[in-house]
Amino acid sequence: MAIDRSGEFWRGEDFTDLADYLREFKPGGYPVARIKEMVCLQCTGRTFAVLVDDEEGCAEVTCAACGARAFVADSADYWAEAEPGDCACPCGGEVFHVTVGFALYAGGEVRWISVGLRCVQDGTMGVYADWKINYSPTDHLLEGAA
């Protein structure tokens, strides 16, 4: 399905729509080069409750199927200082499909991370957190995103 842009919020039906939305967002003004779908490592579930702190630049997901928790990218490094909040769709839904987008430097290092969510209830999509990466090497971020 193509993204529905007719209303106040963009809506989609699947991973492809959410990935396209995230590419359109361009975190920090940079094109997204890689996108990974979050998948629970315990049960392979693909829907999550999400906590984010956009100021600290971190996010944690909780699998809706089994309750397993996982940090997004390098979020564990900043979680102790974070004041995370629950993500909620304008419709009130709190369960999402999650994608993680990576903007890269020319040499392949991660420049920026963004967390895109698509509400399971009504398909509304949004970027709920994004943050700049100021260190190197960053290979572990690309390996551990999903």
Side-chain angles (χ1 to χ4, degrees):
M1 172 192 167
I3 295 172
D4 176 2
R5 300 173 183 182
S6 64
E8 180 180 359
F9 303 105
W10 291 13
R11 289 189 166 80
E13 288 189 359
D14 55 24
F15 169 74
T16 301
D17 291 344
L18 186 53
D20 289 346
Y21 177 85
L22 199 52
R23 282 186 196 94
E24 188 85 19
F25 179 74
K26 291 187 180 174
Y30 303 105
V32 172
R34 289 192 53 192
I35 295 176
K36 288 191 168 188
E37 179 180 18
M38 290 294 296
V39 177
C40 178
L41 296 176
Q42 300 297 313
C43 74
T44 68
R46 295 177 187 271
T47 58
F48 302 89
V50 183
L51 293 169
V52 300
D53 182 334
D54 201 32
E55 295 298 315
E56 285 297 322
C58 53
E60 180 187 51
V61 298
T62 301
C63 179
C66 74
R69 302 182 123 183
F71 289 110
V72 173
D74 62 351
S75 295
D77 297 340
Y78 304 96
W79 202 251
E81 293 82 33
E83 294 182 26
D86 293 318
C87 292
C89 177
C91 78
E94 295 183 348
V95 177
F96 300 92
H97 291 112
V98 180
T99 57
V100 181
F102 301 91
L104 305 176
Y105 288 103
E109 295 288 334
V110 176
R111 173 187 297 237
W112 210 280
I113 294 174
S114 50
V115 179
L117 306 181
R118 187 184 72 77
C119 178
V120 172
Q121 190 169 317
D122 74 351
T124 296
M125 298 183 291
V127 173
Y128 282 68
D130 65 317
W131 59 91
K132 184 171 178 40
I133 301 299
N134 291 319
Y135 60 85
S136 179
T138 59
D139 291 345
H140 67 287
L141 298 175
L142 295 170
E143 295 166 5

